[in-house]
Amino acid sequence: MHTSTTSTVPLEPWTAQQLQQATQGYWHKDQIPQTEIKRILTDSRHAESGDAFLALKGERFDAHDFVAQVVANGCQIAIVERPLDIDIAQLVVVDTRLALGQLGTYRRQQNAQLKVIALTGSSGKTTTKEMLGSILSRLAPTLITRGNLNNDLGVPMMLLELRKEHQYAVMELGANHQGEIDYTSKLVQPHVAGILNIGTAHLGEFGGRDGICRAKSEIYRHILPQGVAIVPQQDDFTAEIREAAKDHQISSFGIGGDVFATEVELLPQSANFQLHTPQGSSLVRLPFAGEHNVQNATAAVAFALALGISLEDIVKGLEQAKGAKGRLNFIQKAPYLFIDDTYNANPTSMRAAAQVLLQQNGIKVMVMGDIGELGDSSWQEHHDLGRDLAELPLDHIIAVGQFASAALEGAGLHSNKLKAFQTQAEALPFLINLIQTHQPQSMSFLFKGSRFTHMETLMADLMEKL
């Protein structure tokens, strides 16, 4: 049963007593492990001797069914909701999902030295997190949310990786239902917490942007005393966000806020701007493309300043930051440029990515996959996206997936530049022919879609044909 990403770093060991204390469980038949427990895992494929396997239970799976498998792999400890007739030390708890949260809470409370940032938003979370990680990890050991471990399972899994040398933690909090961020922000106990923006990601789960705003605003409920709330100055929901954060000291980012950018110069693969803060101003040479990443950078600055980081250290960290895999990664294969932005997508980030493509040289080709989690708004959102992208001076737009036809219809009078395909297999020959047609001209391709579309596969297939 695969339910999490497994850490590759050495972790702080646990004792049997600590596990019991954290979860308020009991050891079945008083079979109590006498040796240290090196890791708590929820992925049965990686459980081995010295680990404790935590058997999660969901609507479609029950990892209790995999306990026998982990025993065969040498694992001698399991955390379960019901005793099993298997020869393994079993810590029995009421709910293993909640027990994971309790274990994360225990680890967080053990690290009183830690300064924690928690951030959420409809787009830009991962990039802002990476920028903050670059700023803080220059100064001291920093725990940074890995991959997409930002939900009610992933956040406690990340907290289990806390070690005594960590001085900072940057925790990305996501949500696909009301109450999720309330739960995860309570686990992480942030000193600084904030919202980047309120967009349309997960629109289907929340029924509208106002519902998204309420869910994201839960992040302010568990800021520690004397903590700081970070709010966007120029969001459609700024007033609502400020109201949710009113019990805390507030710092804002964006034009008209406490931290903002002027004299923005957008380059093909980077951006320069003048940064303004209450601590002074500075030129920033940001190694990220796009105006949206300038906004992400100002947010990162607001978070870091709230932790007391100096402006000089912040600028150095920003200028050394690197993007996450699948987030506007530039791959040059002359005379072709491939921009890998396939990590994920929502309507806002898709439009922002198109602006980055417009900064590139040669024939500009946008290859877009479906955007998920839009619920009943899916057709309309893809239709509007097709309309907006087709109005841009892009040379070709290739839409792939279930809602490609909606994008095509949205393109309207500009539909000659947008081609719709149901599958990647259908789109690939067209892309190959497009390259052959435009040879020997330079071309810039941008690939983007929601995670489930795996648009990186289509990009790799095309690159192989060159």
Side-chain angles (χ1 to χ4, degrees), residues 413-465:
L413 296 174
H414 303 283
S415 59
N416 60 315
K417 70 159 70 171
L418 195 153
K419 295 286 184 277
F421 298 95
Q422 285 286 306
T423 67
Q424 294 188 15
E426 293 169 3
L428 181 60
F430 178 82
L431 287 166
I432 294 169
N433 184 63
L434 202 59
I435 287 176
Q436 293 169 344
T437 301
H438 287 290
Q439 281 181 337
Q441 292 172 281
S442 66
M443 301 181 74
S444 296
F445 294 84
L446 188 141
F447 288 76
K448 188 171 182 65
S450 279
R451 186 82 296 274
F452 72 89
T453 65
H454 296 290
M455 293 300 287
E456 69 276 9
T457 303
L458 179 56
M459 185 181 76
D461 289 346
L462 180 60
M463 291 175 71
E464 273 185 17
K465 301 295 183 182

Side-chain angles (χ1 to χ4, degrees), residues 232-268:
Q233 184 66 21
Q234 291 287 326
D235 197 87
D236 293 344
F237 288 82
T238 292
E240 290 87 344
I241 293 169
R242 279 189 171 272
E243 176 64 22
K246 65 182 180 182
D247 292 337
H248 308 282
Q249 178 186 338
I250 291 176
S251 177
S252 58
F253 65 93
I255 297 300
D258 300 307
V259 178
F260 60 96
T262 61
E263 302 171 43
V264 176
E265 180 187 12
L266 298 177
L267 302 171

Side-chain angles (χ1 to χ4, degrees), residues 151-169:
N151 62 6
D152 60 343
L153 295 178
V155 170
M157 289 301 297
M158 285 306 307
L159 289 174
L160 294 183
E161 297 187 16
L162 281 171
R163 303 190 303 279
K164 289 190 170 50
E165 61 262 34
H166 283 130
Q167 298 300 310
Y168 300 109

Side-chain angles (χ1 to χ4, degrees), residues 21-32:
Q21 182 183 347
T23 62
Q24 298 299 298
Y26 70 89
W27 290 102
H28 181 53
K29 294 183 178 177
D30 283 329
Q31 190 176 343
I32 304 173

